[in-house]
Amino acid sequence: MHTKQKLTATQLQIYNYIVANKRKVKDITLRELAGILSVSPASVVRTLKALGYKHYYDLQNEIKEELNRNKVVDDITYQAQYYFSQDFLTDYDQKIADFKKIASKTKDFIFFGIGSSGDLCEYGARQFVNNGRNAFAIGDPYYPVELSRDLFHGKTVIVLSVSGEGQPTIDQVKNFRQLGATIVSITNNEDNTIAHLSDLNFAYHLEFKIIGQTINLTTQVPVVYLLERLSRALNTTGQ
């Protein structure tokens, strides 16, 4: 898709849905898309124009070409190829610069996530330690953060959450904020509760892969990439 410009909240909602559901969008009408999102067709049209498309079918044709071009043997490879081909990767440069400013004022880093995100927190913390910073991971959704005698001023919490809407994670993020921590989050998109609670958010915009009600198979390749970029940025903090 074209590079994302400054979008309104409604336009951002439409953009995020299109990015996460390209296979569906290529086969449905503009009115059907508007109905799914509970917005007017005019709102969809305005969003497309903000993204640089003259017509809805221009977007659909581009999606079809992209899907055909990126056909691969397995889905994980497709998702990784799609992620690393996106224009928004260049948007990370400014956010990495913002992260360096946060890191320069951070005494300790705390990684927080649940499930597979919690496993990646362990990896992220180790990468930060390897790059000379004090870091540890919390994977317990009911860890008594609010009982800590050591307030969290001067600490940065890096939160990993695919959806950004898990209630236990949201509750913990609120606890960390109330205790003075700076919040950096990595989520699938930037329009979710955890992203809105964060001082800095990195989003990766991939199609959700959900089995049943709880099993999330959305690839974590972008999360590993971002954790490594952030850890490498520690070596250039303040430059």
Side-chain angles (χ1 to χ4, degrees):
M1 289 182 64
H2 295 175
T3 301
K4 182 177 56 172
Q5 306 299 318
K6 290 184 178 180
L7 304 177
T8 66
T10 298
Q11 290 172 341
L12 186 59
Q13 174 196 7
I14 296 168
Y15 170 83
N16 286 332
Y17 182 85
I18 292 172
V19 169
N21 298 274
K22 290 187 175 184
R23 288 183 178 86
K24 180 182 292 186
V25 172
K26 71 179 177 61
D27 294 321
I28 62 177
T29 67
L30 187 149
R31 288 189 177 278
E32 287 172 332
L33 175 59
I36 292 171
L37 292 166
S38 299
V39 300
S40 68
S43 293
V44 177
V45 171
R46 284 193 293 270
T47 301
L48 295 179
K49 288 184 177 179
L51 294 171
Y53 298 98
K54 291 184 178 180
H55 305 285
Y56 181 60
Y57 59 76
D58 291 331
L59 168 67
Q60 289 182 307
N61 288 337
E62 181 175 296
I63 290 175
K64 290 174 183 177
E65 290 177 4
E66 177 186 300
L67 294 177
N68 288 331
R69 185 171 60 250
N70 291 323
K71 280 184 178 178
V72 291
V73 174
D74 63 278
D75 182 64
I76 295 299
T77 305
Y78 165 72
Q79 291 187 65
Q81 285 184 342
Y82 167 70
Y83 173 70
F84 287 111
S85 70
Q86 294 308 290
D87 292 337
F88 67 75
L89 286 178
T90 58
D91 295 341
Y92 288 161
D93 293 341
Q94 180 57 53
K95 291 190 175 185
I96 292 293
D98 294 338
F99 174 75
K100 289 180 181 180
K101 294 177 183 178
I102 291 172
S104 68
K105 302 175 183 177
T106 296
K107 178 181 178 182
D108 301 306
F109 290 93
I110 302 165
F111 286 79
F112 182 81
I114 298 172
S116 59
S117 292
D119 294 333
L120 286 171
C121 284
E122 295 282 353
Y123 177 77
R126 179 55 185 267
Q127 289 298 310
F128 274 47
V129 171
N130 288 348
N131 282 277
R133 300 302 294 270
N134 188 35
F136 63 93
I138 298 175
D140 181 357
Y142 304 109
Y143 188 88
V145 174
E146 69 281 3
L147 299 181
S148 174
R149 294 180 180 178
D150 180 17
L151 295 181
F152 286 81
H153 294 285
K155 294 179 172 61
T156 294
V157 179
I158 299 179
V159 183
L160 308 185
S161 173
V162 177
S163 70
E165 296 296 349
Q167 194 58 50
T169 304
I170 291 171
D171 292 341
Q172 289 288 48
V173 169
K174 289 180 178 178
N175 287 334
F176 283 123
R177 284 193 65 87
Q178 289 174 357
L179 291 169
T182 299
I183 307 296
V184 175
S185 61
I186 300 177
T187 57
N188 190 38
N189 64 65
E190 63 271 90
D191 186 20
N192 58 69
T193 302
I194 290 174
H196 293 315
L197 288 170
S198 302
D199 298 281
L200 182 63
N201 172 259
F202 292 84
Y204 45 94
H205 300 287
L206 288 179
E207 183 176 358
F208 281 111
K209 300 288 183 180
I210 307 295
I211 295 179
Q213 298 295 316
T214 59
I215 300 178
N216 193 325
L217 295 182
T218 307
T219 182
Q220 298 291 284
V221 169
V223 179
V224 173
Y225 166 75
L226 285 166
L227 289 174
E228 295 204 3
R229 280 204 68 178
L230 294 179
S231 68
R232 301 302 190 275
L234 297 173
N235 290 323
T236 56
T237 298
Q239 294 184 7

